């Protein structure tokens, strides 16, 4: 898999699963990044868990390291074995995306090739906030530290995550590059009117619809969003919140909505297929991310904007950087219930004007198109 073009490079990339079979922000990011790199004539070998054996893309080689349904020890052992047995090609650059599956292959990485870790989030801290055991959190932190020691440089998607990487893991700032995430502007675009999108999804035609696609875990702030909607309902009972996603808090959140008497204001959609996600963005008047902590970038915000739908976020992590230059008034004063409710109320009442569809689309295209983001990532990966 040596590049035929003298200016192209051979890049080894290790992640988790294969998007869209394995949904999630990290998997989408890696999938779209490697596609963008190959479109620029680089050759990429992608190693992951439970991925296909081959790709129709001639510049992309896939190496499945383990099956996702195996136990953790089996996956780690298989990862090491299969990485050892893969057809060895000396890459020009190595890009790691997930510490757990990077750990078994560290000793096999060539010493003279630069290794870049793309830091998608503090794995151990996220687990701690979701209430995992102290032993589990310590193990994850040890894995991260061990892998980070082997890396030459790091990419973060926001300065907020750069601060965490520097503070919590003692990574020097000179090793950290901040490059925002990208969006597939062909997949996420305006193809329908709002009413056409609502008809496809069988959503209300005449209500103010707020949409949020989120994993149902504590740090996403969905419990506070429900409380905020209950406040907004007192003045604007036609507001309607659509929540897409799965997670351990599903039953708790559904019970909370029932207790708040929001049966007519909230709909839990469950898992939303990727092909329906752009339709849902276009059907909504507004997309919201009420995250409470550890939100490094906020890919949902960019996807929504690319579809022409404005966004609201809490002032957490890298999210304000995403929408601040477009609509700073759509960043809540703080992550608490009253601030979320106040911002929503002022939007529904017209006190806060929303950017139009064309401005949202243009902003996403100008600032987060992979055609502009991928070359920035590449320049870090291949730098000597």
């Amino acid at each position: 898999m040596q590049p035929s073009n003298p200016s192209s490079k051979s890049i080894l990339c290790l992640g988790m699963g294969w998007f869209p079979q394995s949904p999630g922000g990290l998997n989408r990011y890696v999938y779209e990044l490697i596609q963008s790199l190959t479109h620029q004539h680089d050759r990429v070998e992608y190693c992951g868990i439970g991925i296909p054996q081959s790709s129709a893309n001639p510049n992309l080689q896939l190496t499945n390291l383990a099956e996702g349904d195996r136990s953790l020890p089996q996956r780690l052992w298989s990862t090491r074995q299969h990485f050892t047995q893969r057809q060895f090609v000396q890459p020009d650059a190595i890009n790691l995306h997930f510490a757990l599956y990077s750990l078994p292959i560290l000793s096999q990485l060539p010493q003279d090739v630069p290794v870049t870790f793309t830091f998608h989030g503090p794995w151990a801290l996220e687990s701690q906030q979701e209430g995992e055991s102290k032993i589990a959190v310590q193990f994850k932190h040890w894995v991260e530290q061990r892998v980070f020691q082997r890396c030459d440089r790091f990419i973060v998607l926001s300065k907020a995550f750069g601060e965490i990487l520097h503070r919590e893991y003692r990574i020097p700032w000179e090793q950290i590059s901040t490059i925002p995430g990208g969006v597939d502007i062909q997949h996420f675009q305006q193809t329908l009117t709002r009413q056409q999108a609502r008809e496809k999804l069988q959503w209300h035609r005449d209500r103010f619809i707020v949409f949020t696609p989120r994993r149902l875990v504590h740090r996403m702030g969905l419990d506070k969003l429900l409380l905020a909607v209950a406040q907004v309902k007192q003045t604007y009972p036609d507001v309607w919140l659509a929540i897409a996603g799965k997670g351990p808090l599903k039953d708790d959140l559904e019970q909370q909505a029932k207790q708040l008497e929001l049966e007519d204001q909230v709909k839990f959609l469950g898992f939303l297929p990727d092909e329906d996600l752009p339709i849902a963005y276009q059907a909504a008047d507004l997309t919201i991310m009420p995250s409470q902590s550890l939100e490094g970038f906020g890919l949902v915000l960019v996807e929504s904007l690319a579809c022409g739908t404005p966004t609201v976020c809490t002032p957490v992590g890298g999210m304000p950087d995403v929408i601040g230059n477009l609509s700073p008034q759509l960043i809540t004063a703080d992550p608490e219930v009253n601030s979320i409710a106040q911002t929503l109320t002022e939007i529904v009442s017209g006190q806060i004007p929303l950017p139009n569809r064309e401005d949202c689309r243009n902003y996403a295209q100008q600032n987060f198109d992979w055609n502009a983001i991928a070359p920035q990532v590449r320049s870090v990966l291949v730098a000597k």
Side-chain angles (χ1 to χ4, degrees), residues 20 40 74-75 185 192 211 235 239 241 291 294 315:
Q40 296 174 36
Q74 289 173 325
R75 270 179 282 144
I185 61 170
L192 303 166
F211 175 58
T235 308
V239 69
L241 170 65
S291 302
L294 302 180

Side-chain angles (χ1 to χ4, degrees), residues 66-78 101:
E67 297 302 330
D69 58 358
R70 309 295 294 275
S71 69
L72 176 58
Q74 289 173 325
R75 270 179 282 144
L76 296 179
W77 176 256
S78 177
Y101 299 131

Side-chain angles (χ1 to χ4, degrees), residues 26-92:
L26 186 154
N27 288 336
R28 181 189 286 279
Y29 175 97
V30 176
Y31 176 83
E32 293 178 355
L33 170 64
I34 61 181
Q35 299 294 342
S36 298
L37 291 173
T38 59
H39 292 160
Q40 296 174 36
H41 309 296
D42 288 316
R43 302 292 300 272
V44 177
E45 178 183 3
Y46 176 61
C47 301
I49 308 300
I51 66 173
Q53 296 295 334
S54 61
S55 167
N57 185 336
N59 288 330
L60 176 61
Q61 176 181 327
L62 300 178
T63 300
N64 186 34
L65 298 177
E67 297 302 330
D69 58 358
R70 309 295 294 275
S71 69
L72 176 58
Q74 289 173 325
R75 270 179 282 144
L76 296 179
W77 176 256
S78 177
T79 294
R80 180 175 177 82
Q81 293 300 108
H82 283 90
F83 191 83
T84 302
Q85 296 164 7
R86 61 184 262 281
Q87 182 179 358
F88 179 76
V89 175
Q90 180 81 352
D92 298 301

Side-chain angles (χ1 to χ4, degrees), residues 237-293:
D238 280 346
V239 69
W240 193 73
L241 170 65
I243 300 175
K246 301 189 300 182
L249 294 184
K250 175 180 179 293
D251 291 343
D252 290 344
L253 291 169
E254 289 181 348
Q255 181 62 29
Q256 181 187 4
K258 185 176 181 179
Q259 291 173 346
L260 292 170
E261 299 181 349
L262 295 176
E263 290 92 341
D264 190 47
Q265 280 75 33
V266 176
K267 175 72 172 179
F268 290 90
L269 306 175
F271 173 73
L272 194 67
D274 189 58
E275 60 268 21
D276 289 342
L277 191 52
I279 303 174
Y281 285 130
Q282 293 175 83
D285 294 281
L286 186 71
T287 298
I288 188 167
M289 288 186 70
S291 302
Q292 299 297 297
S293 64

